Amino acid sequence: MVALLICLNTLDLLHSSTIFNDQMKATCTKAIKSYVTSGMRCYYSDPHTKERCANYKDGHTKHHQTVYGKFLETGDFVDGPFSSALFHKTLEKDIQLHLDILNQYEQRERKKALVIEYRNALQPSNPWWTTKQSRRASKISCLGCLFAAPEYRFPCDHHLCEECVKFFDDTDADKIYPGKVTLEKCPLCADVNKEYWPVEIRVKPPHGGLRVLSLDGGGVRGIVELVVLHRLESSVGLEIPIGEYFDLIVGTSAGR
């Protein structure tokens, strides 16, 4: 699945080539180094209490401690069984396998093929997606791409970023409309409860900007702003609340 992620996020580098090139190798090496220094905990555990050191490599001092700050023992960071070289070799082999499959598609169809393959790999064999832990984790980091911050919440309480929401769009080809995405089920846990799904999501259209309404304060000026907005809403004549035209509305004092 990691190999599929890298293919998805480096698709613009592939062009007509299906070779695990130097730029992709550099991306993998950087990601592995980041994991080893910032994502892998010290492997030391107290021989008596079995409490594990909670420090990561880039924050490890000259002693081991628990997640609550309890001192365990003096000592440097202890490496675990994870092998960067072996992981890199396995990853390179998997990426090349996916690139070989990708070569069977036309250039314009490659991204679609990768998204379908990645989505199929996410769900069936991993019961973790149905747990509370996965739902909590999805609020912190998008589990669809592992790169972006989650922005959209689904009925099953999983969250995804905007790009992943667009990736997994189930809208029929003849019904695609800019700024509108339809999901038939959760891309992570495959929840398809008919009471909540399908879900329609509004996203920023291509080349669209952010629409912000800022309202000043100052007592009576707040009333003037409301009158102006009411007149604008009436002039448009679409029976749509004026607030629906903006992505964010902020104000000061009476403007709130």
Side-chain angles (χ1 to χ4, degrees), residues 134-143 150 157-159 188:
S134 75
R135 292 176 171 85
R136 284 197 296 265
S138 75
K139 297 176 184 178
I140 301 171
S141 180
C142 176
L143 299 181
D157 204 27
H158 277 121
H159 298 67
L188 300 179

Side-chain angles (χ1 to χ4, degrees), residues 75-217:
D76 296 322
F77 181 87
V78 178
D79 289 312
F82 176 78
S83 170
S84 298
L86 179 60
F87 182 78
H88 195 288
K89 184 177 180 180
T90 303
L91 191 60
E92 182 175 345
K93 180 180 178 181
D94 287 347
I95 288 176
Q96 189 60 59
L97 175 64
H98 290 301
L99 293 180
D100 290 340
I101 295 173
L102 196 64
N103 195 36
Q104 301 173 20
Y105 294 89
E106 294 287 338
Q107 180 69 32
R108 62 180 178 274
E109 295 293 324
R110 289 181 179 179
K111 185 173 183 178
K112 181 180 178 180
L114 270 174
V115 171
I116 293 173
E117 190 176 355
Y118 177 58
R119 184 172 189 167
N120 291 338
L122 271 176
Q123 297 170 345
S125 60
N126 195 342
W128 183 74
W129 294 119
T130 62
T131 65
K132 292 182 179 179
Q133 290 88 340
S134 75
R135 292 176 171 85
R136 284 197 296 265
S138 75
K139 297 176 184 178
I140 301 171
S141 180
C142 176
L143 299 181
C145 64
L146 303 182
F147 285 88
E151 301 172 74
Y152 295 91
R153 177 182 177 273
F154 299 135
C156 58
D157 204 27
H158 277 121
H159 298 67
L160 287 179
C161 71
E162 183 170 305
E163 287 304 311
C164 281
V165 166
K166 294 177 183 177
F167 273 148
F168 298 126
D169 186 12
D170 292 317
T171 306
D172 293 335
D174 60 338
K175 296 181 180 179
I176 293 177
Y177 186 82
K180 181 181 176 182
V181 172
T182 301
L183 294 181
E184 297 291 340
K185 61 182 177 180
C186 174
L188 300 179
C189 68
D191 179 42
V192 72
N193 189 327
K194 295 185 182 301
E195 184 177 354
Y196 306 110
W197 301 87
V199 171
E200 288 189 358
I201 300 174
R202 297 288 180 177
V203 297
K204 188 172 68 174
H207 312 299
L210 292 175
R211 303 163 299 177
V212 179
L213 174 62
S214 177
L215 303 173
D216 291 332

Side-chain angles (χ1 to χ4, degrees), residues 228-239 242 245:
V228 171
L229 289 172
H230 183 265
R231 290 292 298 273
L232 287 172
E233 184 178 278
S234 300
S235 298
V236 172
L238 293 178
E239 298 185 358
I242 193 73
Y245 292 97

